[in-house]
Each structure stands twice: as structure tokens, then as C-alpha cells.
Amino acid sequence: MNSSHLLIKARNLTKKFGNLTAVDHVDFEVFKNECVGFLGPNGAGKTTTVRMVYCFLPLTEGELSVANMNVSNQQRNIKKMIGVAPQEDNLDPDFTVLKNLLVYARYFDISKAEASARAKQLLSFFQLEEKQDVLITHLSTGMKRRLILARALINEPQLLLLDEPTAGLDPQNRHIVWDKIRSLKKRGVTIILTTHYMEEATALCDRTFIMDRGRIIENGPPAELIRKHVGEDVLEVNNNEKVIKLLTKEFSDADFEVFGERIHVFTKKPHGVFELFLKKFPRNNVSIRNANLEDVFLKLTGRRLRD
Amino acid sequence: MRTTDDSPVGFSFPKLTYRVWKVWRRNFDVFLKTIRVNFLPSLLEPILYLVALGLGLGGFIPPIDGMSYIQFIAPSLVSISMMYGSFFECTYGSFVRMYFQKTFDAIIATPVSVEEVIAGELLWGATRATINSSTALVVVAAFGLVSTPFFIFVPLLAFLGGLMFASIAMCFTAIAPNIDFFNYPSFLFLTPMFLLSGTFFPLSALPPAVQTFALLFLPLTHLVSVARGLIIGVFTTSLYLSVAWIAVVTFVFFIISLNLMKKRLIK
Ligand SMILES: Nc1ncnc2c1ncn2[C@@H]1O[C@H](COP(=O)(O)OP(=O)(O)OP(=O)(O)O)[C@@H](O)[C@H]1O
Ligand SMILES: [Mg+2]
């Protein structure tokens, strides 16, 4: 893609909080109409990165531009074109659902009539019409999340920042949200999302950035990352020495990951090798599954807890 | 030279636009929704004081500078409502919006800047002072205690005085680690002021050192003195000097509070 498609450009982007380096000299680009995902363990620096994009946090070092505007001196124009759904709930508890949207629209200089029209549309888009006169405190988690998304769209943003948009949602709500994100992307909105659900990143993102300890340690389309780091299939089998011996003999090139009672076997060999293996050595408690982004994630970021 | 929308991170003179009023408007909308609970205290309080202190206690007190006791305390009550109205709005009220509700965070993600959010809060604090003290003024008038036409300037004084107390309050909010912290300024700052600012007895009854202290450092002293002039027609300090004192202190604390809050909110 060429530079006219470039929407966000970060060079040496760094954020320190005192001694702690939350984002550590990262470079990345986001192109127009892309959906990119930031993945990473708790405390990796995802939220901090997103917050610098919408000018909420000043940079400590480096450069960051959005639509060719510098985040350090064109905050207003940048914030006008961005919609933000923050990680924590900051809906206005003093107002009803509808009023939350109307008051928020006012901050963007949207006229009253236009705000009403947009709010009505958004409430129906997110299936919240029936709740429009309800106070925020009476909403379920799923409704609050949907309202936060609706609020993020009130200014018809070109760039949407979704910080863990489906955290804590039930499968129904999650699928509604995914569906809406896809339809926004179809309309040409550029989307950055952070998530801990690898399935979500695989389903929605054109590219993902995997962060760890403030650095971007890998990036690319989910399918490509899976192929590159874990191959096609994964064999999961109960951990015992006999099995390990057998496996090492059979798959000399494979990566073994032992955790607890189970061994995960990754191989770059083509699809179907594990089936052949099982035909030769039938065993109990074995499963073969497609490799997924979670395998990549765990492989790259390790299994230790971060905070 | 670079142009910046927001002012630099260090100490600076705030850059404010009309967006300040959008923040003010948010608070006004909430106020309208809860107007009944908001109104009652500012209506009842002056009535209670006028009856208990003015009519009750006042019967035992000789006139002060030609004013009956109830006349003497009436402007004090109006001034005290300015002080409490704005101070509590910009301590407890602002802290709840900033810390618990994350309302400021939500607004800062829009084209409104941090400084405009705080300035909007301060103007709202001043507005609360104006509303509360106007209610108190109506009560005072109903007791027949307004004796000059200059009382029409009281709301103006309330807005200025309210802005002063709002700005001072916001400095405490900027450094408050938790909401209980506000007990300190309430007991160490407001209560002494409530008692020692020429409110319930003339300043001249105090030792000279305390008088000087009150005139130099207690904002309510000047507010009460001007209010007394505007409502009763008796001036105890120079009107111009007191207004100038209030204006300067307001300006200084307005700038300081914006900078302190910016420091707290922009990490
Ligand atoms: N305002 C702040 N002050 C001090 N430290 C902070 C602040 N915000 C974030 N941090 C620290 O910076 C690091 C990165 O935090 P960040 O919130 O960006 O992580 P994250 O990837 O979004 O994590 P999570 O998945 O838990 O949301 C963490 O160690 C966090 O404690
Ligand atoms: Mg986060």
C-alpha cells in the first residue's frame, strides 16, 4: 500500500510513567480501511498505545501522526475524526441512554437536530431503542458496551478505537458486536481494536500487532502468523515419557510445548501428518485441531503471568 | 514555531474556547433534573438562621453600626451560600465526576480539552453560587431585610465570588488522594471562615492581629463586606478594595487550579 493510504504512523513511539516504560520505542502503521488488532498480555501497553493515538496521553518520545496530523499539536482536529470506546466504562451515570448520546454529540458541535437523528439511528443499530430512557446504572454489561460503541460513532468517525470492545460479554452480545464491527469496516471506517480473545482477532482483523512489555514483537495477518509460527495442525496429547519418546522419533522437526498434563505438538509439516501418526499408534486422549492465533500468542509471549 | 491546540504540559496560561460552555451545560442539565433536591437546602438554611439567630438570639443583641442583628447577619447568610455552593460543587462534585464517574476522561476524548473541562467546572461552580445565593437573597427579601436597590448586583458578586471559591476548591481537588481528604479544607478553611469573617459579629470585635489576618487571607470577609453594602447599604471595608481583592484572588487561583488539574489529569 502506498502512503496516500496511510492513516496512522508511529515512529519510536514511547511512553514512560515514571520509571516504568509502558510503550517502548515502537514503530507501526495503520492504513485506511484496515482493521488492526493489538494483542498482548495484561500490561503489555495496548491501552497506552491507543490512548496516545487519541491524544489522551502525551508522548514521552518518538513521533505519532494521525491523518498526517501530529498528535502533539493538532489534538482537536485529530479528536474530531476519531471515535473512542475506552476499556473502562465512562458513560455518564447522571443521564439516560439517549441523553448520553445527545450530550456527547454536543462536545463535537453536532447540532441538536442532527444529534437526535444520529442517536436514534445508533440506538437502533445497536438494538438499544427500548432502553433509550433508562439510566445507565440500570443497564447490563452488554448494553453498556453497546452504548459505548454507539457513543463512539456519534461523530461519524473515520477512525474507530475499540479498547477491548467485547470484554466480559456473553456470546450473543459478542456476536452482535462483531457483526457491527464488520459492517462499519464495510462502510470504510478504519478500526483499531485491542482484545484478549484470539478468536476475535482472527475473525475481525486484517493484521495484528502482538505486544509484550511495551514492544511490538510480531505483526502480520493472523493466518500468516499462524502458518509462520505454528504451522497447520496441533496435536494435543497427555504428557508421559513414552509418548514423548515416540513423538520425538516421529516428528524430529516439531516443537513440543509441555504445560501441566498436556503436550502440544506443533509441526511445519503439511496438513494430515498427525492423522497418519494416529493410525500407526492409536492412543486415548489425543486430539488434533487446527493451529490458531492463541498458539502463536502463547508461543511468542510465554505462559507466565504478567501482573 | 509550532501551533498547539492544547497548551504545553508545563505551567501555562490556559487556552480556552467556547467549548467551556458545553461542559458547563452538561452540569446544568444534570442540575435541572435534580432541581428539587438541589433547591430545598438553599431555601431552608437561610430561613433557619434568620429565625434562630436573627429573631431569636438577635433579641438580646444591641444594634451593630446602626443595623439590627437580623439585618447584620442577612448579607452574611447570602455570602455563605455563595461560598458553600461553589466550594462543595468543585470539591465533592468535581471529584466524583473526575474520579468515580470518569466523566472528564470521556469528555477529553472529544474536541474539548482538559483545560476547557476544568474551566467549565469552575464556571458551573460559580453558577451554583449564583443560584444558591439568589435563593437566599429572596428569603432575605421576604423577611424585609433588603434596604437598597443595589441588591440587584448581588448575583454578579455571587458569580465572581463563586468563581473564586470554585477555583480555590479545584486546587484541593487537584491534590486530593481520595474523597475523605475534603474534610480537611472543610474544617480547617471553611468553618473558621464561616465564623471569623465578620459574619455573625463585626470584625472589629476581634483582636487586631486576627482582623488583619481575616482581611488579608479570608476571602469570605470581603464577600460579606461587599454583600452587606449591596443589601443593607452599610460598608465595613472599602467596596473597591474588596472587589479588587476578590478579582485578583479569583484570577490567580483560576490559573493555578487549571494548571494543577492539568498536571493531575495528563500523565
Ligand atoms: N496512568 C498510568 N500511570 C502509571 N502507570 C500506568 C498508567 N497507565 C498504565 N500504566 C502502566 O503501563 C503498563 C501498560 O499498561 P496498559 O494499560 O497500556 O496495558 P494493556 O496492554 O492495556 O493491559 P490490559 O490488557 O490489562 O488492559 C502497565 O504496567 C500499567 O500498569
Ligand atoms: Mg488495556
Side-chain angles (χ1 to χ4, degrees):
Chain A
M1 292 205 219
N2 63 39
S3 63
S4 70
H5 289 105
L6 190 65
L7 190 63
I8 301 178
K9 184 174 169 186
R11 286 289 170 267
N12 269 323
L13 183 63
T14 301
K15 180 70 196 180
K16 292 181 183 162
F17 297 107
N19 286 330
L20 183 127
T21 307
V23 175
D24 191 2
H25 298 90
V26 306
D27 293 344
F28 65 88
E29 281 107 32
V30 177
F31 297 95
K32 284 180 188 153
N33 203 16
E34 256 192 317
C35 177
V36 305
F38 279 84
L39 312 177
N42 290 133
K46 305 179 295 294
T47 298
T48 307
T49 305
V50 168
R51 284 182 165 172
M52 287 190 281
V53 173
Y54 70 91
C55 313
F56 188 86
L57 290 174
L59 323 185
T60 310
E61 250 179 75
E63 274 169 44
L64 178 61
S65 67
V66 178
N68 269 322
M69 295 180 281
N70 189 328
V71 293
S72 311
N73 56 34
Q74 297 209 56
Q75 291 95 341
R76 265 202 237 281
N77 285 331
I78 292 175
K79 290 195 284 184
K80 273 180 199 164
M81 55 167 284
I82 296 184
V84 183
Q87 183 170 0
E88 83 285 354
D89 163 23
N90 62 16
L91 292 166
D92 204 323
D94 289 325
F95 295 125
T96 62
V97 167
L98 177 64
K99 187 80 181 178
N100 256 275
L101 297 181
L102 298 179
V103 171
Y104 215 65
R106 209 153 57 196
Y107 301 133
F108 286 95
D109 288 325
I110 297 165
S111 75
K112 225 172 159 179
E114 179 66 25
S116 293
R118 286 188 196 179
K120 284 263 142 62
Q121 241 172 8
L122 286 167
L123 289 180
S124 106
F125 188 63
F126 285 101
Q127 300 171 34
L128 286 165
E129 304 114 305
E130 280 164 29
K131 297 287 172 186
Q132 70 166 37
D133 297 320
V134 169
L135 280 175
I136 299 307
T137 37
H138 300 157
L139 295 182
S140 70
T141 315
M143 291 173 190
K144 277 188 199 161
R145 269 285 126 195
R146 269 145 54 204
L147 182 57
I148 288 176
L149 291 175
R151 192 185 64 178
L153 293 171
I154 198 80
N155 58 324
E156 299 185 336
Q158 289 175 54
L159 172 63
L160 197 53
L161 306 179
L162 310 176
D163 199 353
E164 300 197 20
T166 61
L169 295 193
D170 62 25
Q172 286 83 355
N173 269 298
R174 186 174 303 166
H175 283 283
I176 293 179
V177 170
W178 286 7
D179 187 47
K180 300 306 171 196
I181 292 176
R182 286 198 190 97
S183 78
L184 287 165
K185 185 170 147 50
K186 270 203 199 105
R187 285 189 219 166
V189 178
T190 306
I191 298 163
I192 295 184
L193 65 86
T194 77
T195 182
H196 289 298
Y197 302 114
M198 300 301 131
E199 189 195 348
E200 175 166 303
T202 314
L204 299 174
C205 298
D206 301 313
R207 280 192 305 144
T208 53
F209 294 97
I210 299 182
M211 289 191 82
D212 196 13
R213 300 169 211 279
R215 311 212 59 142
I216 293 178
I217 54 172
E218 179 58 294
N219 81 87
E224 225 167 78
L225 295 184
I226 295 168
R227 230 176 298 126
K228 176 172 165 197
H229 291 281
V230 292
E232 303 225 16
D233 295 328
V234 180
L235 180 79
E236 282 189 37
V237 55
N238 271 3
N239 185 4
N240 74 53
E241 277 180 30
K242 252 173 68 190
V243 176
I244 293 191
K245 243 189 219 151
L246 190 59
L247 287 170
T248 11
K249 221 176 83 199
E250 201 70 19
F251 303 103
S252 49
D253 73 313
D255 284 336
F256 297 89
E257 272 215 37
V258 181
F259 53 105
E261 294 290 290
R262 300 287 275 179
I263 313 175
H264 286 194
V265 187
F266 305 105
T267 175
K268 299 278 157 63
K269 289 205 175 124
H271 189 64
V273 288
F274 290 131
E275 272 89 348
L276 289 174
F277 167 74
L278 277 190
K279 270 195 196 129
K280 274 202 287 189
F281 309 96
R283 316 199 74 82
N284 294 328
N285 273 321
V286 179
S287 66
I288 302 167
R289 57 169 178 80
N290 289 332
N292 59 36
L293 198 57
E294 189 142 333
D295 298 318
V296 179
F297 184 85
L298 289 172
K299 191 168 176 194
L300 295 178
T301 58
R303 290 180 179 276
R304 269 179 308 119
L305 287 179
R306 292 311 158 80
D307 54 0
Chain B
M1 211 191 95
R2 298 206 310 188
T3 56
T4 328
D5 290 334
D6 293 0
S7 3
V9 178
F11 190 92
S12 63
F13 202 78
K15 284 188 180 176
L16 303 172
T17 71
Y18 66 94
R19 292 179 181 85
V20 169
W21 290 105
K22 296 177 184 282
V23 179
W24 180 91
R25 186 61 202 280
R26 181 227 164 258
N27 292 337
F28 182 67
D29 286 357
V30 178
F31 174 79
L32 282 187
K33 246 184 38 174
T34 50
I35 194 151
R36 243 168 286 156
V37 250
N38 280 324
F39 245 162
L40 263 178
S42 49
L43 200 64
L44 281 181
E45 231 173 57
I47 296 178
L48 282 174
Y49 277 106
L50 286 176
V51 170
L53 297 184
L55 300 177
L57 184 66
F60 301 90
I61 298 172
I64 303 165
D65 294 326
M67 290 171 274
S68 68
Y69 190 63
I70 193 168
Q71 266 185 323
F72 181 82
I73 64 166
S76 310
L77 298 177
V78 174
S79 310
I80 287 164
S81 71
M82 295 175 196
M83 170 172 88
Y84 282 144
S86 52
F87 197 86
F88 287 135
E89 188 62 41
C90 288
T91 47
Y92 292 98
S94 296
F95 191 83
V96 166
R97 289 188 282 276
M98 167 180 77
Y99 190 84
F100 296 106
Q101 303 187 176
K102 311 249 180 260
T103 308
F104 296 179
D105 289 357
I107 303 176
I108 294 166
T110 74
V112 181
S113 71
V114 180
E115 290 167 323
E116 286 161 351
V117 170
I118 306 310
E121 290 278 313
L122 295 178
L123 290 179
W124 173 246
T127 307
R128 275 312 295 271
T130 311
I131 295 170
N132 289 12
S133 62
S134 299
T135 314
L137 185 62
V138 169
V139 172
V140 165
F143 274 76
L145 299 170
V146 171
S147 34
T148 89
F150 292 115
F151 79 91
I152 55 160
F153 293 114
V154 169
L156 218 65
L157 173 71
F159 196 85
L160 180 64
L163 193 59
M164 169 174 68
F165 279 112
S167 304
I168 296 171
M170 195 58 87
C171 292
F172 288 112
T173 302
I175 57 168
N178 54 53
I179 199 158
D180 297 323
F181 171 82
F182 297 126
N183 286 333
Y184 293 112
S186 300
F187 288 121
L188 300 177
F189 180 57
L190 294 197
T191 308
M193 227 168 359
F194 172 81
L195 294 169
L196 298 177
S197 301
T199 37
F200 298 104
F201 55 87
L203 264 190
S204 54
L206 291 167
V210 183
Q211 277 185 48
T212 314
F213 177 82
L215 280 170
L216 284 179
F217 298 113
L218 298 184
L220 187 61
T221 314
H222 296 277
L223 219 50
V224 168
S225 159
V226 177
R228 194 164 283 137
L230 295 177
I231 295 171
I232 313 290
V234 179
F235 287 96
T236 38
T237 58
S238 150
L239 172 71
Y240 297 113
L241 222 60
S242 283
V243 171
W245 192 96
I246 294 170
V248 170
V249 170
T250 304
F251 179 79
V252 169
F253 278 95
F254 186 85
I255 305 290
I256 293 177
S257 70
L258 252 64
N259 277 284
L260 285 179
M261 281 302 276
K262 210 169 64 174
K263 211 171 139 201
R264 175 171 189 147
L265 291 168
I266 303 180
K267 300 263 170 46

